[in-house]
Amino acid sequence: MSNRLHTLTQLFFLAGSITLIFTGYRVKDWTSGYLSNQNLKIWYEQPATDWMQEALPIGNGYLGAMFFGGIEEERIQFNEESLWSGGIGEWNDYNGGNRPDAHQHLPAIRALLNEGKYEEAHALANKELTGKIKANKGNSIWEGFGAYQSFGDLYIQTSQDKSVRNYRRQLDIDQSIATVSYQAGLVNHKRTYFASYPKRVLVFCFENDAANGTDYEIKLSSLHQKKTIRLDGSELIMQGALENNGMAFESRILIEAGNANITFEKGILNISAAKKVILYLTAATDYMNEYPQYTGRDYKKLNKETIGKVTADNYEQIRKEHIADYQSLFNRVSLDLGKTKSDQWPIDKRLAAYQSGAEDPELEALFFQYGRYLLISSSRPGSMPANLQGKWNHINNPPWASDYHANINIQMIYWPAEITNLAEVHEPLIEYIDRLRPPGRQSAKDFFGTRGWIVNSMNNVFGFTAPGWDFPWGFFPAGAAWYGQHVWQHYEFNPDLDYLRDKGYPIMKEAALFWLDYLIEDELGYLVSSPSYSPEHGGISKGAYMDIEIVWDLFNNTIKALSVLDIDHDFKKELVTAKEKLLPLKIGKWGQLQEWKEDLDDPDNKHRHLSHLYALHPGNQISMLETPELAEAARTSLIARGNEGTGWSIAWKINFWARLKDPKNSYSMLRRALKLSGEKGYNMVDGGGVYPNLFSTHPPFQLDGNMGLTAGIAEMLVQSHAGVIDLLPALPEAWPNGSVKGLKARKGVEVDISWADGILTETKIRAALPGTYSIIYQDLTRVLEVNAIGQEIILNRNLEDRRN
């Protein structure tokens, strides 16, 4: 036994008694009938009792579900992506939160700022530039704005012996298959759950090997009051409408139970003497993402067609189709950070041991891949993008409405999309961004009197692009410009001129038009944003640097796009001129990168937002190669903010340290991000970590922390933001031996890297296009000429070409 495994084993026994049921890396998985690699499985020895901390997620982009694995009664809570309260259906004066002619107050606000009357300027802005929301009548803090809703719950009771052994609840993220297995008396029970994207259904299969089968009792319920539930042939149908806004919804469950007897009475579905029961669930609403009404989909027709496609195949065909579809994305990237045999223990005990100091590189690799699993499960072409909680929410008044938060959170959720080779899952966000432009134009016109489009901190599915209803948190018109980075990066990682010309550039251009109109010259002739607020931190300003950095990024990327497309030459000149006049980044009195134009930074402030470091990550205005002094100032600011924070803040710090090529601090923050948490309430200071189900904690649960950590690990292994492909820029000592395959660099390059004893051993480069590519590793640099599409080049540790 290695010292690492010995230490891990000791810590597990310290954490509590456990039963060892596996003896090697590859073990028999009786629920699926084949040998499988265990290190991408999240499993437990007991059912879940808490939705947020213990239940496990499955999803197909359109639908999401959380299963508990109860023995006598299974609970499966499910969601459909478009079920939202709020909007015009609730409030006739909704108007996207806009206030016509609010921009008339801008000159007065700016004048007060110029006079140094910051409190008066803030008061006026908070009165006249805030978005509208319906008066809170005690029903919900999101009244008028709305919130993502739970759709329903399935409860399945099983008639069985009370004596249970060999229980295992598992999520296999290699196949996107969940299972529950146990023995009750002499009867084996197994359940298999998955979410099929090709079929647009959630699938739940219950099996037993009792001689005469087993009885199942199924109850469908919902938190919404206006609903009916009925059995129509072999389909259990729930139809209704939200009390809040009248949004119509329907779910259909196709039931397959062989020759078992099925009855439905008083809302309970009883299936008698069944050896196998399969439930195929689909759901939809009348929501359509079309401004300004956001309704009109024939959801009943969609559901009927979905069930019709299910009946054309059998269960095994649907399962195999699902695995093949999922793995066509997931299998593009593999990561090996070292072996410990730690996968022999359930994940809750692994987390406890890890928190006690155990080394578990397989857990770290698992968490990296879990982020990719969650993104694939909550964002697929044709679906809506993932929201703050992906597609998983069990209550109707969720934290921050489970909305689309545009001042870092939704952006962070999509940070892994390109670098971890999941370009397709980025498409729902880009399509959603494109559809924000019409309401965003109205908000830009009403609040700022400008061209272009904006979106602020909080955005719902009904085109709420106005500022929030209170400042400072609600003011962030730079949300659209930040989204522009995602639009551009999708092209950078997947060079496609048609996409750039027809979709990407128009979005970026219109976002840039807003800033060309909104920026004003300060007393030194520099362009600044006034008024501005650093997101959720500090007071009103004549130039919060996050605005300036995001605008620099937007202008820079739009200029690049124009160079590629060779169009709009006069507009390009205008952008070049404006970019050169932007307020330069400043280093403050204690060596920090300033957060505001004014040198106000407090070295003792530990705020979770590090907005002024946007230029370091995800931007590229600051880099170790080109701007070392600014990079050092960013380091000073980062050190001052400390190592605590919310889950997403800690994840962001991993990415910052990786960009600074600091493996020690990158890895330290990674371990901090995996701290086991039990907090359910709100903690904005030091509550970050993970729950036993590996959901990242704000707290409470938010998906951004998961995705930020996945992106951070990728950034530790390969970077390409500075115009070169940088290999192992922040490889920590904790990963002395390993490999990664399939990560993406800009220009559509796939990268495989192997290392041993902390030293690069081999790199494979696969380029999507012919061209020149610069590769660096530590002090070595190599320029490659690629002559053919898809050509693979193999380099040794000295970056020498190993092609024959």
Side-chain angles (χ1 to χ4, degrees):
M1 179 182 291
S2 68
N3 290 335
R4 174 183 289 177
L5 179 59
H6 179 70
T7 302
L8 185 62
T9 304
Q10 286 184 319
L11 286 167
F12 272 121
F13 280 103
L14 288 172
S17 62
I18 78 170
T19 302
L20 298 182
I21 58 175
F22 298 118
T23 58
Y25 283 114
R26 300 178 67 80
V27 300
K28 180 73 173 178
D29 181 353
W30 75 277
T31 62
S32 54
Y34 57 86
L35 294 175
S36 59
N37 189 334
Q38 292 292 302
N39 64 2
L40 289 182
K41 292 178 172 62
I42 301 168
W43 66 276
Y44 307 83
E45 297 174 313
Q46 68 283 332
T49 59
D50 183 86
W51 184 94
M52 186 178 298
Q53 298 192 38
E54 298 174 353
L56 290 170
I58 61 173
N60 62 13
Y62 304 108
L63 305 165
M66 298 282 284
F67 72 96
F68 286 66
I71 297 172
E72 294 182 3
E73 181 179 72
E74 172 66 284
R75 177 190 174 191
I76 302 171
Q77 182 274 325
F78 65 96
N79 293 91
E80 193 277 340
E81 61 179 355
S82 65
L83 191 64
W84 263 74
S85 62
I88 194 170
E90 176 190 355
W91 183 25
N92 289 334
D93 295 331
Y94 169 71
N95 191 30
N98 292 323
R99 292 186 178 189
D101 299 324
H103 63 89
Q104 294 180 359
H105 299 279
L106 265 180
I109 295 169
R110 286 170 170 168
L112 289 169
L113 287 172
N114 289 335
E115 295 169 11
K117 298 179 179 179
Y118 290 95
E119 292 185 6
E120 293 90 337
H122 167 71
L124 184 58
N126 205 33
K127 177 183 177 183
E128 303 294 351
L129 295 184
T130 46
K132 294 191 301 180
I133 187 172
K134 188 177 180 181
N136 184 357
K137 297 180 180 179
N139 298 322
S140 166
I141 60 173
W142 312 119
E143 193 169 3
F145 180 82
Y148 185 48
Q149 303 288 285
S150 174
F151 202 106
D153 287 88
L154 269 174
Y155 295 92
I156 303 96
Q157 292 187 2
T158 306
S159 177
Q160 60 192 15
D161 192 287
K162 302 296 183 182
S163 174
V164 172
R165 59 186 180 276
N166 298 330
Y167 179 91
R168 184 179 176 108
R169 176 171 57 102
Q170 174 177 285
L171 177 61
D172 180 351
I173 65 172
D174 178 59
Q175 298 188 70
S176 187
I177 295 284
T179 55
V180 178
S181 60
Y182 59 90
Q183 190 174 6
L186 299 177
V187 178
N188 292 306
H189 292 263
K190 64 178 179 179
R191 308 170 193 162
T192 305
Y193 307 148
F194 59 90
S196 166
Y197 172 69
K199 290 295 189 285
R200 200 183 178 122
V201 292
L202 303 173
V203 183
F204 311 109
C205 178
F206 296 78
E207 299 176 85
N208 67 84
D209 62 3
N212 298 314
T214 297
D215 296 340
Y216 294 91
E217 180 182 290
I218 300 173
K219 180 181 179 182
L220 176 62
S221 69
S222 173
L223 296 174
H224 307 293
Q225 302 304 311
K226 294 174 62 176
K227 64 181 182 296
T228 61
I229 300 174
R230 72 181 194 278
L231 183 67
D232 184 355
S234 59
E235 295 181 35
L236 185 61
I237 301 171
M238 177 168 65
Q239 294 176 331
L242 296 184
E243 304 89 336
N244 172 277
N245 60 7
M247 181 181 287
F249 61 83
E250 179 190 77
S251 67
R252 286 177 176 261
I253 303 175
L254 174 66
I255 304 159
E256 292 183 356
N259 296 321
N261 183 49
I262 299 177
T263 61
F264 184 71
E265 185 177 357
K266 296 182 179 179
I268 304 296
L269 184 77
N270 287 287
I271 303 176
S272 303
K275 284 183 168 292
K276 188 174 187 177
V277 175
I278 307 173
L279 309 177
Y280 300 94
L281 186 155
T282 192
T285 75
D286 64 357
Y287 172 85
M288 287 181 66
N289 190 6
E290 293 187 5
Y291 173 80
Q293 296 300 320
Y294 296 101
T295 189
R297 179 168 65 176
D298 191 342
Y299 62 102
K300 293 181 180 179
K301 179 182 178 182
L302 173 62
N303 282 343
K304 289 178 181 177
E305 291 175 347
T306 298
I307 295 298
K309 292 177 182 178
V310 169
T311 59
D313 291 328
N314 61 42
Y315 168 79
E316 192 59 24
Q317 289 172 323
I318 293 171
R319 188 187 71 86
K320 290 180 178 178
E321 177 189 49
H322 157 70
I323 293 173
D325 167 72
Y326 171 79
Q327 289 187 336
S328 70
L329 296 172
F330 185 80
N331 284 359
R332 293 174 184 173
V333 172
S334 63
L335 177 63
D336 178 3
L337 299 177
K339 303 294 185 183
T340 62
K341 295 186 180 181
S342 59
D343 58 323
Q344 295 179 6
W345 289 280
I347 199 71
D348 47 350
K349 291 183 171 63
R350 287 176 72 179
L351 285 169
Y354 189 83
Q355 185 167 324
S356 297
E359 295 180 20
D360 193 347
E362 286 184 288
L363 175 64
E364 293 156 358
L366 173 65
F367 199 88
F368 167 84
Q369 294 285 27
Y370 189 49
R372 298 180 71 243
Y373 165 82
L374 291 171
L375 192 52
I376 296 170
S377 301
S378 57
S379 184
R380 297 295 296 271
S383 78
M384 299 179 70
N387 62 43
L388 278 183
Q389 295 181 188
K391 296 294 166 67
W392 302 281
N393 171 43
H394 66 304
I395 56 178
N396 292 337
N397 187 22
W400 295 282
S402 191
D403 76 334
Y404 294 95
H405 242 65
N407 67 0
I408 187 174
N409 311 93
I410 299 304
Q411 291 91 335
M412 182 180 286
I413 286 172
Y414 282 88
W415 283 355
E418 301 295 347
I419 193 172
T420 73
N421 213 338
L422 296 173
E424 294 90 336
V425 306
H426 211 173
E427 293 174 12
L429 177 64
I430 293 167
E431 181 63 28
Y432 185 80
I433 291 168
D434 192 34
R435 290 174 179 264
L436 285 176
R437 289 161 66 196
R441 291 181 196 122
Q442 191 64 48
S443 293
K445 178 182 178 182
D446 287 352
F447 287 97
F448 303 105
T450 66
R451 299 170 294 170
W453 73 283
I454 60 170
V455 63
N456 283 266
S457 303
M458 291 190 70
N459 167 239
N460 62 17
V461 299
F462 307 111
F464 191 102
T465 51
W469 46 94
D470 191 25
F471 293 169
W473 67 260
F475 190 96
F476 190 64
W482 193 340
Y483 278 154
Q485 184 190 72
H486 286 258
V487 172
W488 170 247
Q489 286 187 351
H490 189 60
Y491 169 78
E492 278 194 301
F493 282 85
N494 312 277
D496 180 343
L497 286 176
D498 291 338
Y499 157 78
L500 184 62
R501 180 184 59 250
D502 300 335
K503 177 81 75 174
Y505 170 64
I507 294 172
M508 296 164 66
K509 177 180 180 179
E510 201 167 1
L513 284 172
F514 168 78
W515 288 98
L516 288 174
D517 290 353
Y518 183 63
L519 294 169
I520 61 173
E521 289 189 359
D522 70 1
E523 63 279 3
L524 298 177
Y526 292 121
L527 291 178
V528 297
S529 58
S530 179
S532 63
Y533 293 85
S534 193
E536 303 185 35
H537 183 219
I540 196 168
S541 171
K542 291 191 291 183
Y545 262 112
M546 188 181 216
D547 280 358
I548 304 303
E549 294 167 12
I550 290 175
V551 173
W552 185 96
D553 193 61
L554 174 66
F555 285 178
N556 191 55
N557 294 338
T558 308
I559 291 166
K560 290 180 181 178
L562 286 166
S563 297
V564 171
L565 296 171
D566 194 23
I567 59 174
D568 281 0
H569 301 290
D570 289 341
F571 183 60
K572 179 181 176 182
K573 291 178 182 177
E574 189 176 3
L575 289 177
V576 170
T577 299
K579 178 189 165 190
E580 292 174 349
K581 291 183 63 178
L582 288 172
L583 181 70
L585 301 181
K586 294 182 181 179
I587 298 175
K589 56 181 175 287
W590 47 276
Q592 87 284 9
L593 191 69
Q594 289 186 199
E595 187 166 357
W596 299 273
K597 176 184 175 181
E598 305 86 357
D599 191 353
L600 303 173
D601 302 87
D602 179 359
D604 296 323
N605 188 295
K606 307 299 180 185
H607 198 272
R608 63 193 179 280
H609 278 268
L610 298 100
S611 304
H612 55 308
L613 302 190
Y614 173 97
L616 176 64
H617 183 280
N620 60 5
Q621 189 177 357
I622 296 175
S623 72
M624 296 286 288
L625 289 173
E626 298 179 353
T627 58
E629 291 185 0
L630 290 174
E632 187 59 33
R635 179 190 298 272
T636 299
S637 293
L638 190 54
I639 292 172
R641 286 293 170 92
N643 296 335
E644 293 298 328
T646 58
W648 62 261
S649 179
I650 293 169
W652 200 1
K653 291 173 183 178
I654 299 171
N655 288 270
F656 286 138
W657 286 118
R659 285 282 175 95
L660 291 170
K661 298 188 177 185
D662 188 323
K664 182 178 179 180
N665 279 306
S666 297
Y667 184 71
S668 174
M669 294 310 304
L670 188 156
R671 289 195 68 100
R672 174 59 187 85
L674 289 176
K675 177 183 178 181
L676 187 61
S677 173
E679 285 198 52
K680 294 183 181 180
Y682 295 81
N683 184 335
M684 314 288 271
V685 179
D686 59 1
V690 292
Y691 293 127
N693 61 4
L694 294 188
F695 272 170
S696 178
T697 68
H698 183 287
F701 158 56
Q702 279 185 195
L703 198 65
D704 42 19
N706 288 90
M707 303 310 186
L709 191 149
T710 294
I713 291 176
E715 288 272 346
M716 293 167 72
L717 300 175
V718 66
Q719 297 176 17
S720 62
H721 60 282
V724 298
I725 299 174
D726 194 348
L727 306 175
L728 304 180
L731 182 69
E733 292 181 359
W735 303 337
N737 305 299
S739 65
V740 65
K741 298 179 180 179
L743 291 180
K744 285 284 287 288
R746 287 160 177 82
K747 297 185 180 181
V749 177
E750 285 193 355
V751 182
D752 300 347
I753 309 171
S754 299
W755 64 93
D757 298 322
I759 303 297
L760 176 73
T761 57
E762 182 180 88
T763 304
K764 294 180 180 179
I765 303 291
R766 291 178 297 279
L769 297 173
T772 302
Y773 299 86
S774 296
I775 316 294
I776 65 172
Y777 169 63
Q778 296 181 355
D779 296 330
L780 301 174
T781 301
R782 179 66 189 271
V783 178
L784 301 177
E785 293 294 337
V786 176
N787 301 316
I789 294 174
Q791 180 179 355
E792 183 176 272
I793 298 174
I794 302 176
L795 306 175
N796 64 17
R797 68 177 62 201
N798 296 317
L799 301 187
E800 295 169 337
D801 192 342
R802 292 176 51 186
R803 289 176 294 182
N804 294 327

